[in-house]
Amino acid sequence: MKKYKGIIFDLDGTMLNTEKMNIVPLQRLIKEELGQDVHYEKLLKYMAYAGKKTLELLEFKDIKKSYTKWVKYVNEYEEGAQLYDGFKGVIEALHKNNILCGIASSKMKKQYEIDFLKTNLHNYMSGVVLAEDTEKHKPYPDPLLKAAETLEVEPKDVLYVGDTIVDFKAAKAAGMDFALASWGNFDISGIKADYELKKPIDILKIVGVQAI
């Protein structure tokens, strides 16, 4: 069993269920600005990207303006971000066993505060790297390396937990092992994870920690 000194998490689709709250407002935005009706399932692949990158790929004209409107729609949506079941106990157990936890996400800081602070897990995070903190984003390794640096842990001693091919590529580029959060994943093609997690508590099995 490999001993990891730190575990870094992606947020959307990994710790937080944000699928519906992002996709439904995006459908609305596409209808309003591009005049297209796009099926829900066809938009799921864009969950792997940062918001502004998604709008670029969908060929929106004024990315900044459209992104601001999308964020507004997301925050007005009734079903907000929810922590996946079991994560609270997982983070508390890791903390109790002196395994450092961090976050490397493409989420903007303001959205992070709305979505994650309400989980009351922020204080367990020794390092948080968000969209504004690096020039390059996943699949580049920069956010993960910055998070590891903040944790003061070598990349080889870090496990990155994510749910997309972008997360996998970033982890490998950073020299980290990768654990696939299968509960938030909709396409595993091309992902050769070191571990496949069926539920959050599986993380504790990897590091040999007992659940609280």
Side-chain angles (χ1 to χ4, degrees):
M1 181 181 295
K2 184 171 180 178
K3 293 290 185 182
Y4 294 102
K5 295 178 181 178
I7 300 182
I8 298 173
F9 297 91
D10 172 50
L11 282 178
D12 293 356
T14 300
M15 293 190 77
L16 297 173
N17 186 348
T18 57
E19 180 189 298
K20 198 172 181 182
M21 66 174 279
N22 279 294
I23 298 296
V24 172
L26 180 58
Q27 284 179 302
R28 176 183 173 186
L29 188 69
I30 292 170
K31 177 67 173 177
E32 288 180 1
E33 300 203 359
L34 303 181
Q36 301 171 13
D37 289 305
V38 181
H39 203 272
Y40 187 99
E41 276 69 30
K42 286 193 173 181
L43 294 174
L44 287 174
K45 64 183 178 182
Y46 295 107
M47 289 291 287
Y49 301 100
K52 290 180 180 178
K53 180 64 175 179
T54 292
L55 299 186
E56 287 177 18
L57 293 170
L58 288 167
E59 299 182 350
F60 277 78
K61 300 297 185 287
D62 189 335
I63 303 297
K64 186 176 180 180
K65 183 178 178 181
S66 298
Y67 180 74
T68 299
K69 188 187 288 188
W70 186 15
V71 169
K72 179 176 180 290
Y73 291 166
V74 166
N75 291 330
E76 289 173 350
Y77 192 66
E78 293 178 358
E79 299 177 33
Q82 300 293 324
L83 189 70
Y84 282 106
D85 288 344
F87 253 113
K88 185 175 185 294
V90 167
I91 299 301
E92 289 175 346
L94 292 172
H95 180 75
K96 183 179 178 181
N97 285 271
N98 299 313
I99 296 176
L100 297 171
C101 292
I103 288 170
S105 168
S106 299
K107 191 183 285 293
M108 302 292 283
K109 183 180 179 181
K110 184 177 179 181
Q111 197 64 45
Y112 170 83
E113 292 171 349
I114 293 170
D115 293 346
F116 193 71
L117 294 189
K118 64 185 179 183
T119 69
N120 295 318
L121 294 179
H122 173 76
N123 290 334
Y124 291 102
M125 299 298 155
S126 299
V128 177
V129 176
L130 302 169
E132 296 95 333
D133 296 322
T134 58
E135 289 187 13
K136 291 183 177 180
H137 304 116
K138 297 179 293 185
Y140 290 100
D142 302 43
L144 281 65
L145 292 173
K146 187 174 180 68
E149 182 182 350
T150 305
L151 266 58
E152 298 183 346
V153 176
E154 292 293 324
K156 64 181 177 61
D157 296 321
V158 173
L159 177 67
Y160 186 61
V161 183
D163 66 301
T164 68
I165 185 70
V166 173
D167 294 329
F168 167 69
K169 287 180 176 179
K172 291 299 131 182
M176 297 178 183
D177 284 350
F178 179 71
L180 175 65
S182 61
W183 54 85
N185 184 275
F186 54 89
D187 181 8
I188 63 171
S189 57
I191 299 177
K192 297 179 181 178
D194 297 287
Y195 310 95
E196 185 170 342
L197 309 171
K198 298 297 183 185
K199 47 191 176 181
I201 200 169
D202 291 344
I203 295 166
L204 299 184
K205 297 174 187 175
I206 293 172
V207 295
V209 167
Q210 292 291 321
I212 295 176

